[in-house]
């Protein structure tokens, strides 16, 4: 740190502070050291060749001063205190409506404790902030370079791993977080430029008490924002440096916070010197935008001539992702510990300052609300005039009494009327007398707090006192209503006469509902179409609005629209007033809602990336919503073209579902099928037969997609064959399919069984072999998953699937069975509409209906495998039939093959019961007895 500069521009101020310290502290000492040190910090910063511009985040005064200085100085390089890895995202701000937040996110961490995951860092940006002015200037001015110099997102957490770090909050030291986080930012670490707030609690309490304010945001607004709003550049800069140095010197000596603060300053100055050396830029042509707390730095690396002793550590292996997320004033206030409504009030103050001072702020080209410039951007001229030496502006500012603003009665009266109107809309019994009371109470509170002009905070207190009283009838209290009124959350509305023809037509056609559709909020509409047929056109229009408007604008509560069905009763939640902007934008696309919907359907169907499933959806919407056979035929022809050009089976399940539904509709509503759907079935049959062998072995194709292909082939087979298709094509496709994955193998077996190429007995034997092979048992659940998916193309296998699943539950060990259960549940859930009812119905038919019957119940598929216990009369009958069976073995062998038995004839030394004859006699004793009696009679 450099020593005290004597004889400089601030020597007179040092003498006055020395006298003040002697008078108030009974002699020079610690107080004099603090006061004189503050002046040294200010003088050191203003003498730096690289101009330091101290700011406070979300401060209108800082934003105005920033815009004014940028137009005066026209710097060629802007160094900004922001995480350097966020630089590529800043140009995307022009495509957003502020406020937004730049985010760095890492879900998997390497080099950090595992319990820290996920890591998230956000930097919110608002229009009423100095950094946005710097960003807009640098990005839209040719020849200007924007350089982010603060530590990276990775270093934010790297520097929190020291022994003194406290990771319970994971908060950036310059971004105190609120205890209650909002959903927009979550628990992310907040990074902002220039968080200027006392870190010495006693100092903040002293300022609030003597300033007669409730919180820090109000103190800053009253004693910094207003005095600096119209000040010149030198005065603003020196006052901000003074405040930053004061808060820095009076901050508690927390080793962790001091270490991180100083490392950040070393990091930034190191990056700036590296950039100056690499580009050869003149420091006089650059500007350094940082928080006032860091501007009054005393580290050895400070300045362009500082030491280069700081080493920047390499980033960790953690992979960071960057993006933009939406933000709001409330989210910023909650995350950074600001008073509710302070950011909104700052935005209002910014608009007033821009109008009052005449400063033309910077806005990114293309930003919402920005007029497109037709003049080409000119490069910056070279600076020719040297920078004037700094002069003392602090002395005059500190000695000058505050300028008292005259009471703006019109503004205060407008506030009072607006808050009463907002209170009435939210259920308060407010009247004109309350508006007068709020007006007078605001003036009274300002006078009690030594203010000539009531601030927004005085007005808020007065509104709460005069209107809210002791009860809140609605969701919002008066304090929140003031924040909304001040912060620009008010939403405009377009009158009926100014609406485009389409929007007026929508209101006219929905008039039979007797609702105030232009009113904001949700309204319930009840349509009893059975008793009031004139409401059916309203129903048709509401379903079209649901298709075109955002979610929530028209939401059905009761009733649905299906092909071939007529509506009876419906109930809707309508919020057309809230979504008026979306409705107006529909008017820019056509003169009627039907025209817009037809254009949207055509646009979706003819999009370059459109799939067959998406085009079929457009066909269904055209039939269901527009009832247009002409459009449906046109889009159906397009679906045929798209399907013929597809080379993947990704959309097979959706294609199958929609084609089934359209076929069912046309078969019941039309005398003959439309030509396009016949061609679609014929083309689809050949198309999927061609892709089937590849799909069985393609790793990218799922089992559900292959099952949907088979479902199309088997379900549409009769129609396809009647249209001229050849079944041999399907048989060849299955013969050429050689899957290796278990679930697809099971799916192929099911298809072969459906075609008759694989008997059920052989399929049952294959499953038994799988369960009997210890090496295959762990993969058996995957075979079962394939059989479950096979119910889509072959629903007749439901009894076999129940048998296979039951055998799995009976024989599979728990370590294999339990991990498979989630897969089975997810499979049934994904295809539950079609598959679950089949399994449940078949299981209900097979399993006993009462619990008492379960012990004696034998599954049907085991009746051929487990003979019943032998009875004495059965044994006698069997003995009588043995000579006959021995005399005619061919008959017995044929019957054993028919019933699915394998065995050999016993010999004299073979054990009893091993031959097919013995098995048959034990299973059917009465047949043997009857046959023996018949032969005896004859």
């Amino acid at each position: 740190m450099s020593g005290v500069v004597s004889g400089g521009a601030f020597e007179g101020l040092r003498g006055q502070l020395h006298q003040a310290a002697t008078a108030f502290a009974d002699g020079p000492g610690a107080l004099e050291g603090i006061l004189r040190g503050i002046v040294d910090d200010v003088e050191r910063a203003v003498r730096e060749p690289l101009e330091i511009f101290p700011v406070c985040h979300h401060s209108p005064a800082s934003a105005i001063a920033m815009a004014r200085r940028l137009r005066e100085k026209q710097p060629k390089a802007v160094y900004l205190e922001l995480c350097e890895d966020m630089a590529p995202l800043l140009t995307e701000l022009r495509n957003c409506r502020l406020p937004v937040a730049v985010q760095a996110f890492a879900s998997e961490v390497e080099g950090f404790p595992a319990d820290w995951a996920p890591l998230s860092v956000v930097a919110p940006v608002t229009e009423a902030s100095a950094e946005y002015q710097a960003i807009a200037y640098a990005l839209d001015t040719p020849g200007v370079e924007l350089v982010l110099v603060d530590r990276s997102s990775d270093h934010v957490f790297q520097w929190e791993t020291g022994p003194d770090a406290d990771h319970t909050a994971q908060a950036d030291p310059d971004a105190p977080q609120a205890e209650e986080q909002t959903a927009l930012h979550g628990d992310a670490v907040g990074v902002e430029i220039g968080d200027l707030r006392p870190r010495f609690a006693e100092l903040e309490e002293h300022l609030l008490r003597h300033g007669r304010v409730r919180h820090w945001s109000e103190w800053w607004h009253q004693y910094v924002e207003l005095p600096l709003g119209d000040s010149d550049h030198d005065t603003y800069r020196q006052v901000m440096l003074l405040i930053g140095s004061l808060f820095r010197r009076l901050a508690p000596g927390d080793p962790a916070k001091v270490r991180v603060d100083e490392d950040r300053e070393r990091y930034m100055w190191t990056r700036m010197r590296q950039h100056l050396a690499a580009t050869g830029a003149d420091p006089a042509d650059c500007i350094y935008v940082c928080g006032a707390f860091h501007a009054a730095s005393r580290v050895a690396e400070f300045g362009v001539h500082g030491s280069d002793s700081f080493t920047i550590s390499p980033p960790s292996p953690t992979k960071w992702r960057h993006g933009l997320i939406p933000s709001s004033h409330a989210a910023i206030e909650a995350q950074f510990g600001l008073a509710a409504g302070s950011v909104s009030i700052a935005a209002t103050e910014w608009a007033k300052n821009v109008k009052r001072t005449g400063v033309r702020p910077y806005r990114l080209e293309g930003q919402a609300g920005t007029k497109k410039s037709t003049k080409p951007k000119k490069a910056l001229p070279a600076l020719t005039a040297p920078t004037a030496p700094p002069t003392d502006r602090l002395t005059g500012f500190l000695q000058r009494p505050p300028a008292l603003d005259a009471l703006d009665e019109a503004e205060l009266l407008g506030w009072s009327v607006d808050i009463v109107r907002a209170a009435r809309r939210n259920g308060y019994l407010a009247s004109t007398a309350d508006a007068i009371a709020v007006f007078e109470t605001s003036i009274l509170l300002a006078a009690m707090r030594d203010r000539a002009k009531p601030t927004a905070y005085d007005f808020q207190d007065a509104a709460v006192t005069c209107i809210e009283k002791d009860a809140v009838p609605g969701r919002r209290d008066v304090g929140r209503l003031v924040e909304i009124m001040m912060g620009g959350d008010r939403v405009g509305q377009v009158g009926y006469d100014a609406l485009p023809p389409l929007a007026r037509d929508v209101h006219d056609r929905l008039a039979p509902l007797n609702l105030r559709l232009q009113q904001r909020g949700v309204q319930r509409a009840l349509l009893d179409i059975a008793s009031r047929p004139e409401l059916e056109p309203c129903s048709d229009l509401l379903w079209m609005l649901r298709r075109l408007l955002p979610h929530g604008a028209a939401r059905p509560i009761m009733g649905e629209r299906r092909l071939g069905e007529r509506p009876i009763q419906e109930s809707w939640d309508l919020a057309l007033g809230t979504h008026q902007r979306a409705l107006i934008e529909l008017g820019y696309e056509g003169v009627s809602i039907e025209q817009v919907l037809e254009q949207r359907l055509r646009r979706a169907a003819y999009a370059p990336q459109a799939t067959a499933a998406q085009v079929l959806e457009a066909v269904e919407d055209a039939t269901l919503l527009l009832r247009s056979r002409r459009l449906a035929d046109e889009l159906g022809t397009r679906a045929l073209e798209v399907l013929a050009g597809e080379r993947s089976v990704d959309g097979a399940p959706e294609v199958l579902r929609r084609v089934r539904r359209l076929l069912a509709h046309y078969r019941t509503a039309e005398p003959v099928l439309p030509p396009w759907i016949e061609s679609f079935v014929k083309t689809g049959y050949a198309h999927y037969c061609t892709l089937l062998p590849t799909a069985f072995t393609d790793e990218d194709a799922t089992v559900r997609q292959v099952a949907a292909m088979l479902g199309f082939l088997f379900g549409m087979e009769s129609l396809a064959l009647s249209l001229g298709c050849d079944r041999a094509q399907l048989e060849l496709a299955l013969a050429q399919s050689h899957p290796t994955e278990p679930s697809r193998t099971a799916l192929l077996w099911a298809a072969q069984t459906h075609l008759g190429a694989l008997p059920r007995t052989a399929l049952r034997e294959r499953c038994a072999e799988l369960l009997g092979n210890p090496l295959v048992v762990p993969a058996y659940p995957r075979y079962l998953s394939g059989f479950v998916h096979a119910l889509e193309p072959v629903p007749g296998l439901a009894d076999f699937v129940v048998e296979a699943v039951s055998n799995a539950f009976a024989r599979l060990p728990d370590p294999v069975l339990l991990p498979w259960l989630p897969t089975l549940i997810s499979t049934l859930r994904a295809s539950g509409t079609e598959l679950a009812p089949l399994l449940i119905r078949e299981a209900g038919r097979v399993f006993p209906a009462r619990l008492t019957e379960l012990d004696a119940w034998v599954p049907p598929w085991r009746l051929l495998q487990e003979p019943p216990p032998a009875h004495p009369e059965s044994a006698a009958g069997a003995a009588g039939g043995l000579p006959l069976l021995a005399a005619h073995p061919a008959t017995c062998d044929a019957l054993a093959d028919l019933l699915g038995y394998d065995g050999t004839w016993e010999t004299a030394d073979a054990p009893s019961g091993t031959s097919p004859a013995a098995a048959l006699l034990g299973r059917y004793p009465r047949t043997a007895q009857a046959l023996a009696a018949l032969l005896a009679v004859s």
Side-chain angles (χ1 to χ4, degrees):
M1 170 184 173
S2 62
V4 175
V5 180
S6 59
F10 296 90
E11 190 61 28
L13 180 58
R14 289 193 182 91
Q16 295 182 26
L17 294 178
H18 173 77
Q19 298 176 4
T22 303
F24 289 103
D26 296 330
L31 179 59
E32 181 185 11
I34 294 176
L35 296 179
R36 294 175 66 90
I38 292 174
V39 180
D40 295 339
D41 293 341
V42 174
E43 187 166 11
R44 183 188 187 199
V46 298
R47 288 183 178 274
E48 173 61 32
L50 174 59
E51 180 178 332
I52 303 173
F53 194 94
V55 300
C56 175
H57 199 47
H58 305 305
S59 168
S62 295
I64 287 292
M66 184 84 258
R68 182 188 295 116
R69 183 56 179 168
L70 290 174
R71 295 199 180 277
E72 293 174 354
K73 183 179 178 65
Q74 296 286 298
K76 297 182 179 179
V78 177
Y79 300 114
L80 188 61
E81 178 199 338
L82 193 60
C83 294
E84 57 184 2
D85 57 321
M86 295 179 177
L89 294 173
L90 296 182
T91 186
E92 295 297 329
L93 290 176
R94 69 178 73 252
N95 301 320
C96 302
R97 184 183 299 274
L98 302 181
V100 297
V102 187
Q103 182 187 40
F105 184 83
S107 56
E108 298 179 0
V109 298
E110 295 184 34
F112 302 108
D115 57 349
W116 286 19
L119 305 180
S120 181
V121 179
V122 298
V125 179
T126 63
E127 188 174 353
S129 56
E131 65 271 20
Y132 176 75
Q133 295 297 308
I135 292 171
Y137 163 79
L139 294 183
D140 284 347
T141 306
V144 177
E145 186 175 4
L146 177 64
V147 184
L148 305 187
V149 295
D150 200 2
R151 56 181 177 167
S152 66
S153 304
D154 195 85
H155 286 89
V156 170
F157 292 95
Q158 277 192 33
W159 293 356
E160 293 293 319
T161 58
D164 299 328
D166 178 14
H167 308 295
T168 56
Q170 293 189 15
D172 186 87
D174 278 337
Q177 301 208 29
E179 295 181 0
E180 181 181 1
Q181 299 290 350
T182 63
L184 289 176
H185 293 174
D187 56 356
V189 173
V191 178
E192 61 176 15
I193 300 175
D195 173 53
L196 202 54
R197 183 169 184 167
R199 298 186 183 176
F200 191 42
E202 287 78 3
L203 173 60
E204 182 172 348
E205 182 182 355
H206 175 83
L207 293 175
L208 298 183
R209 183 175 66 253
H210 288 275
R212 299 179 182 179
V213 293
R214 296 169 297 170
H215 44 73
W216 173 250
S217 299
E218 186 176 1
W219 186 94
W220 180 267
H221 176 84
Q222 177 65 25
Y223 295 99
V224 179
E225 283 291 333
L226 297 180
L228 290 182
D230 298 324
S231 60
D232 59 87
H233 169 66
D234 291 337
T235 302
Y236 165 83
R237 190 179 173 204
Q238 294 176 20
V239 170
M240 292 293 289
L241 290 170
L242 174 71
I243 297 174
S245 177
L246 174 66
F247 290 170
R248 189 184 187 100
R249 289 180 176 272
L250 294 182
D254 187 344
K257 291 184 179 296
V258 172
R259 173 181 58 82
V260 173
D261 288 338
E262 294 183 348
D263 283 349
R264 288 184 67 184
E265 293 154 5
R266 296 185 179 100
Y267 192 107
M268 290 187 284
W269 279 110
T270 301
R271 287 300 193 203
M272 285 185 284
R273 283 195 298 272
Q274 290 175 353
H275 181 267
L276 290 172
T279 60
D282 186 356
D285 295 342
C286 307
I287 189 170
Y288 170 35
V289 183
C290 67
F293 190 92
H294 298 295
S297 175
R298 303 188 299 276
V299 298
E301 290 79 3
F302 178 89
V304 295
H305 302 296
S307 64
D308 289 322
S309 56
F310 183 71
T311 302
I312 299 176
S313 60
S316 72
T318 299
K319 295 182 180 179
W320 290 87
R321 296 179 175 86
H322 299 79
L324 296 172
I325 62 173
S327 184
S328 67
H329 293 166
I332 297 173
E333 293 159 1
Q335 185 170 27
F336 297 104
L338 304 175
S342 59
V343 178
S344 299
I345 293 175
T348 303
E349 191 69 23
W350 156 258
K352 291 169 57 178
N353 287 350
V354 169
K355 184 177 181 180
R356 186 184 71 253
T357 61
V359 174
R360 186 159 55 94
Y362 288 95
R363 298 195 71 184
L364 286 171
E365 190 74 23
Q367 191 88 41
T370 303
K371 295 182 180 180
K372 186 176 181 180
S373 177
T374 57
K375 297 181 180 179
K377 299 287 184 178
K378 297 182 180 179
L380 296 178
L383 295 178
T384 56
T387 304
T391 58
D392 178 17
R393 300 295 182 91
L394 281 176
T395 302
F397 181 84
L398 296 176
Q399 291 180 348
R400 183 174 65 249
L404 299 179
D405 292 340
L407 174 62
D408 190 345
E409 293 188 358
E411 179 187 58
L412 183 58
L413 185 60
W415 287 356
S416 303
V417 173
D418 290 342
I419 190 57
V420 169
R421 183 182 297 113
R424 286 175 179 171
R425 287 197 304 263
N426 285 268
Y428 291 90
L429 299 177
S431 62
T432 306
D434 293 309
I436 298 174
V438 172
F439 180 86
E440 298 294 343
T441 305
S442 300
I443 299 175
L444 177 62
L445 290 177
M448 295 173 60
R449 296 166 179 172
D450 293 334
R451 302 170 186 170
K453 177 182 179 180
T455 65
Y457 298 99
D458 298 324
F459 170 74
Q460 186 178 41
D461 292 341
V464 172
T465 302
C466 299
I467 298 177
E468 187 169 305
K469 300 177 177 69
D470 59 347
V472 178
R475 294 184 296 110
R476 295 168 177 163
D477 55 21
V478 174
R480 177 58 182 158
L481 294 178
V482 174
E483 295 168 12
I484 294 175
M485 186 182 72
M486 293 289 182
D489 287 338
R490 299 152 73 181
V491 180
Q493 189 179 45
V494 178
Y496 174 84
D497 294 333
L499 291 173
L502 181 143
R504 292 201 302 267
D505 180 62
V506 168
H507 284 278
D508 293 340
R509 293 166 63 179
L510 294 179
L513 300 179
N514 296 322
L515 298 176
R516 291 179 292 179
L517 297 177
Q518 287 188 300
Q519 179 178 336
R520 291 181 56 81
V522 179
Q523 302 179 71
R524 178 64 56 88
L526 302 175
L527 286 74
D528 187 0
I529 303 174
S531 61
R532 296 184 59 190
E534 67 273 11
L535 294 181
E536 186 172 354
C538 297
S539 173
D540 297 338
L541 179 58
L542 290 176
W543 284 107
M544 286 186 281
L545 291 175
R546 178 179 179 269
R547 174 66 169 75
L548 296 173
L549 292 179
H551 176 73
R555 185 167 61 95
I557 304 301
M558 181 185 70
E560 57 184 352
R561 181 61 64 95
R562 293 183 179 181
L563 288 172
E565 296 183 1
R566 307 295 297 180
I568 299 176
Q569 286 184 337
E570 293 179 353
S571 175
W572 290 79
D573 274 353
L574 301 180
L576 299 183
T578 304
H579 297 272
Q580 189 186 46
R581 174 185 170 187
L583 181 61
I584 292 174
E585 290 176 348
L586 289 180
Y588 303 150
E589 302 182 34
V591 296
S592 68
I593 203 74
E594 288 81 4
Q595 180 186 2
V596 173
L597 180 57
E598 183 174 341
Q599 291 176 354
R600 293 275 185 95
L601 294 179
R602 278 203 177 92
R603 192 180 307 131
Y606 288 92
Q609 304 300 325
T611 63
Q614 293 172 345
V615 181
L616 287 177
E617 181 184 5
V619 174
E620 189 173 349
D621 288 340
T623 305
L624 187 65
L625 302 178
L626 294 176
R627 297 189 177 95
S628 173
R629 175 67 182 272
R630 172 191 54 81
L631 180 61
D633 290 347
E634 176 188 343
L635 299 182
T637 304
R638 169 63 180 171
L640 178 63
E641 298 173 358
V642 174
L643 178 68
E646 288 185 346
R647 293 297 176 264
S648 67
V649 295
D650 296 343
E654 188 70 12
V655 169
L656 174 61
R657 184 173 64 89
R658 295 193 179 277
V659 166
R660 279 178 175 173
R661 197 155 51 209
L662 288 169
L663 267 175
H665 167 68
Y666 286 130
R667 280 171 173 166
T668 57
E670 301 287 345
V672 294
L673 292 177
W676 76 265
I677 201 166
E678 292 182 350
S679 301
F680 189 91
V681 171
K682 184 177 179 180
T683 303
Y685 189 87
H687 178 72
Y688 285 136
C689 283
T690 304
L691 296 180
L692 192 60
T694 305
F696 266 110
T697 57
D698 188 3
E699 295 181 356
D700 295 332
T702 64
V703 181
R704 183 168 179 262
Q705 292 170 353
V706 179
M709 294 175 60
L710 292 174
F712 186 95
L713 295 172
F714 294 163
M716 310 293 168
E717 185 177 19
S718 60
L719 178 60
L721 295 180
S722 68
L723 295 174
C725 295
D726 189 358
R727 194 182 191 190
Q729 189 177 6
L730 175 58
E731 295 175 349
L732 289 174
L734 289 177
Q736 295 172 358
S737 301
H738 304 287
T740 57
E741 200 270 333
S743 60
R744 303 187 191 194
T745 302
L747 193 59
L748 178 61
W749 292 349
Q752 292 173 345
T753 301
H754 176 75
L755 294 180
L758 182 65
R760 282 207 178 191
T761 55
L763 182 60
R764 185 177 289 108
E765 290 173 0
R766 291 185 180 182
C767 292
E769 292 175 2
L770 294 176
L771 282 174
N773 189 342
L775 299 178
V776 185
V777 164
Y780 187 74
R782 299 168 65 185
Y783 286 93
L784 292 181
S785 297
F787 285 129
V788 172
H789 279 98
L791 293 178
E792 175 73 47
V794 192
L797 281 181
D799 57 340
F800 177 79
V801 175
V802 171
E803 173 186 343
V805 173
S806 300
N807 289 335
F809 276 89
R811 298 181 58 179
L812 286 179
D814 289 346
V816 176
L817 180 63
L818 294 180
W820 168 68
L821 291 180
T823 303
L824 175 62
I825 295 173
S826 61
T827 300
L828 293 176
R829 179 175 295 178
S831 304
T833 306
E834 298 84 6
L835 305 185
L838 294 175
L839 290 179
I840 295 173
R841 188 184 311 115
E842 184 63 26
R845 186 184 65 85
V846 171
F847 291 109
R850 293 180 175 83
L851 184 62
T852 56
E853 303 174 1
L854 187 60
D855 294 337
W857 176 72
V858 178
W861 53 86
R862 291 188 179 178
L863 292 178
L864 302 179
Q865 305 173 14
E866 298 181 1
H871 299 285
E873 61 274 13
S874 300
L882 282 175
L884 179 63
L885 294 175
H888 305 281
T891 304
C892 183
D893 291 341
L895 184 59
D897 292 339
L898 179 62
L899 297 176
Y901 283 100
D902 292 329
T904 58
W905 286 92
E906 66 177 7
T907 59
D909 56 349
S912 177
T914 59
S915 66
L920 287 173
L921 291 175
R923 180 67 182 86
Y924 304 104
R926 294 181 180 180
T927 304
Q929 293 173 6
L931 182 60
L934 178 62
L935 293 176
V937 171
S938 61

